[in-house]
């Protein structure tokens, strides 16, 4: 049985739907993605690890539970989960629409509602992943300490260990880590954040957007907005303005964008090497300049 036949059978077993054919859409990190046609309704989307691959324990569990948690807020943009097991995740197929100003405004309101649903603490009840990299979600009551010890420090060490950062680079990021408390702005309660919200994880719809591939946790709401700005999003100003109407951002938020972007850039250094080094270091220096 080839991989497409195996995925077709597994999706049918997991969902109880009559899956008729899986179409391989290509690899994403260590897993592959599929569009699965069904005989009894719309197509499905599946992610699957290679057969027998045990390199990512809890990967799809963390993603499924994270999406479910994000979805427990009125009007949440998180895509619903249909089924999952250790090697497979099944979601509805979502056809992307052209982004429009109206959809961007709706998305801004959706994102604000999801954030305002809140979290019990910074972190999550379980560890997770960001892409293929493990993520320490051990809860903490204060965001600066959580961000320093669960996000910046582990990925700084990982990047340094793979030789993608110089000792001088490490010292520069350590300055940010040491100053997080004073750079963080006024304390905010933990928000219900996506955690990996670059534009590729936003699927535009006519009436807003759907979010996929989260690294969900209780976090700082500015982090999601900063990541949307990192690699660009159509109509970002409309999204942000609508968000600000529903959940006004704290004073100085623009000056904290670099602080929030440093974590995903360190993740990229860990994944892709020195190609992201210059951007990461420029961002570390911008973070140290603090709020405007």
């Amino acid at each position: 049985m080839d991989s497409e036949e195996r995925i077709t059978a597994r999706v049918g077993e997991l969902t109880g739907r009559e899956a008729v054919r899986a179409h391989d859409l290509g690899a994403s990190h260590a897993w592959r993605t599929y569009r699965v046609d069904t005989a009894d309704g719309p197509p499905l989307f599946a992610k699957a690890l290679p057969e027998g691959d045990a390199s990512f324990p809890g990967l799809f569990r963390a993603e499924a539970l994270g999406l479910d948690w994000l979805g427990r807020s009125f009007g949440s943009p998180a895509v619903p989960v249909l089924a999952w097991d250790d090697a497979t995740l099944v979601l509805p197929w979502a056809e992307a629409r052209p982004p429009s100003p109206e959809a961007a405004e709706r998305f801004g309101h959706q994102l604000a509602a999801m954030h305002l649903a809140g979290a019990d603490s910074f972190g999550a009840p379980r560890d997770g992943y960001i892409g293929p990299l493990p993520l320490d979600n051990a809860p903490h009551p204060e965001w600066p300490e959580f961000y320093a010890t669960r996000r910046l420090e582990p990925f700084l060490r990982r990047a340094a260990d793979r030789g993608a950062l110089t000792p001088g680079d490490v010292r520069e990021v350590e300055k940010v880590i040491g100053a997080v408390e004073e750079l963080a702005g006024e304390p905010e309660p933990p928000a219900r954040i996506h955690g990996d919200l670059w534009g590729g994880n936003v699927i535009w719809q006519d009436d807003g957007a759907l979010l996929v591939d989260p690294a969900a946790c209780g976090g700082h709401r500015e982090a999601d907005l900063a990541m949307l700005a990192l690699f660009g999003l159509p109509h970002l100003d409309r999204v942000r303005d609508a968000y600000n109407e529903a959940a006004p951002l704290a004073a100085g938020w623009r000056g904290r964008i670099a602080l929030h972007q440093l974590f995903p850039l360190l993740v990229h250094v860990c994944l892709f090497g020195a190609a992201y080094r210059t951007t990461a270091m420029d961002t570390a220096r911008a973070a140290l300049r603090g709020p405007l």
Side-chain angles (χ1 to χ4, degrees):
M1 182 183 294
D2 65 23
S3 62
E4 292 182 353
E5 292 173 331
R6 179 173 59 84
I7 295 303
T8 301
R10 189 62 186 137
V11 167
E13 292 169 3
L14 286 171
T15 63
R17 299 277 299 276
E18 188 178 346
V20 295
R21 185 180 177 190
H23 304 269
D24 191 336
L25 303 177
S28 177
H29 301 297
W31 46 89
R32 302 194 74 81
T33 60
Y34 301 85
R35 173 189 166 116
V36 183
D37 295 333
T38 67
D40 54 353
L44 305 174
F45 175 83
K47 297 169 70 170
L49 290 166
E51 191 170 14
D53 188 338
S55 305
F56 303 93
L59 174 72
F60 292 142
R61 178 177 186 270
E63 184 170 345
L65 294 179
L67 282 169
D68 178 71
W69 180 66
L70 293 175
R72 287 186 232 152
S73 59
F74 180 75
S76 170
V79 69
V81 177
L82 299 180
W84 62 276
D85 64 11
D86 288 343
T88 315
L89 177 71
V90 187
L91 309 173
W93 178 264
E95 199 71 46
R97 305 298 185 192
S100 69
E102 296 75 21
E105 290 177 9
R106 171 63 178 151
F107 174 43
H109 292 146
Q110 290 176 304
L111 188 61
M114 186 180 81
H115 286 171
L116 292 175
D120 293 335
S121 65
F122 296 99
R126 68 200 65 83
D127 289 341
Y129 287 85
I130 184 161
L133 300 180
L135 202 55
D136 179 357
N137 283 332
H140 196 284
E142 303 295 334
W143 182 77
E145 181 71 13
F146 175 81
Y147 190 55
T149 62
R150 312 287 196 269
R151 295 297 182 259
L152 296 181
E153 286 179 359
F155 289 89
L156 173 61
R157 300 304 164 207
R158 183 185 285 266
D161 288 347
R162 69 166 294 179
L165 296 177
T166 69
D169 296 336
V170 171
R171 288 191 293 273
E172 199 80 16
V173 176
E174 287 175 337
K175 292 178 187 176
V176 179
I177 293 170
V180 164
E181 186 79 40
E182 60 198 76
L183 297 174
E186 292 299 314
E188 290 205 2
R192 190 168 301 206
I193 72 167
H194 179 282
D196 191 10
L197 195 54
W198 69 289
N201 287 339
V202 177
I203 303 176
W204 289 102
Q205 303 289 280
D206 291 333
D207 58 349
L210 291 172
L211 303 184
V212 296
D213 295 347
C217 69
H220 200 301
R221 62 201 182 105
E222 291 175 6
D224 275 351
L225 292 163
M227 195 161 184
L228 285 174
L230 182 56
F231 299 115
L233 183 81
H235 308 298
L236 177 60
D237 286 345
R238 290 283 190 115
V239 173
R240 208 153 42 195
D241 288 347
Y243 183 101
N244 221 8
E245 289 174 4
L249 293 163
W253 65 267
R254 289 184 186 276
R256 292 186 292 272
I257 290 175
L259 177 65
H260 293 292
Q261 289 180 340
L262 183 55
F263 163 58
L265 284 169
L266 288 175
V267 171
H268 276 68
V269 173
C270 293
L271 289 173
F272 306 113
Y276 283 90
R277 172 187 169 270
T278 298
T279 304
M281 297 317 302
D282 287 346
T283 301
R285 287 185 281 271
L288 281 170
R289 290 194 289 271
L292 302 177

